Amino acid sequence: MAEFEIVDDFTYEVCLLPREKALGFVDHLNSIGIKAKIKESYSGHYGVFVTNELDMVRAKREVLRFAGSPFDSSFTKASWEQGKTVRNIKEIKSSMYLPMAFDITSLTTIIELICIALYVISLFDESWVIQTFALSRQDVFSSVTDYYRLLTPAFVHFGFMHIAFNLVMFEALGRPIEKTFGKTKLFSLIISIALLSNVLQYCFMTDNYGYFGGLSGVVYGIIGYCGVLSKREDLPDSFMIPRGLLTVSIIFILLGFLFSGIANLCHLGGVVIGILWGLYDLKKKNLF
């Protein structure tokens, strides 16, 4: 079975596939004389790499054939001939052109499903979702059980583009954190960022009749965390974020103060908390 190796000679990327399909596809390529390896990428996918342009062209042809007939026995024959099988994991799969899979037991996926569930419910009864999970300056915490609402606004969204942007960014950055450092680290980041950024927004809201929600405070916090922590030299390639993303995000936060209807303090509080988390972990000797 193919191994998870990062070899400098394998610099030509062919495609991205879920783990099981990537392993089988690489074995198939090697069986027909195309030297190939895989390495982990974002969102639970793996990049298939070859050593030269000619092999890349040949491999891409095999990708097209694979996409048209993913269950063709020729793609699994190589692995079976080696007497090896691929371990099954719980995942949700898509029959799209490039199949997508993600672990339904991961914290990243659970957070995304909570956001999606509340958004779908809001399409039928938005007022109930807002009154139960969002946060307004008018809200009074008369009992201990009311304080859950300092956290839940992170899961409430008010439009398709709102939830789409937040979940795309959360998926791109949250999952690598979970896979690199574990569920506990990601959980600590989400809870601390969501609580502190929501409290900051709540305390300084000027519109007594407005309400706020969204995962953007957490997203900005994770951007701040990843932007600082990416300065470490011992991180895997899958954890690195694009250069300048943190700088651009801070610029957008500052520009947001020029407009109304944006939870700017939540965004600002999120990125500051994320940066502080990043600075703390940046100095750790044993982070993994």
Side-chain angles (χ1 to χ4, degrees), residues 9 47 55 170 206 256:
D9 290 341
D55 281 349
F170 182 72
T206 56

Side-chain angles (χ1 to χ4, degrees), residues 25-35 55 58-59 61-63 65 74-75 78:
F25 185 60
V26 165
D27 282 335
H28 167 71
L29 292 179
N30 283 308
S31 72
I32 61 175
I34 301 176
K35 293 182 179 180
D55 281 349
R58 293 175 60 199
R61 291 174 183 169
E62 293 299 312
V63 171
R65 194 163 72 87
S74 65
F75 293 110

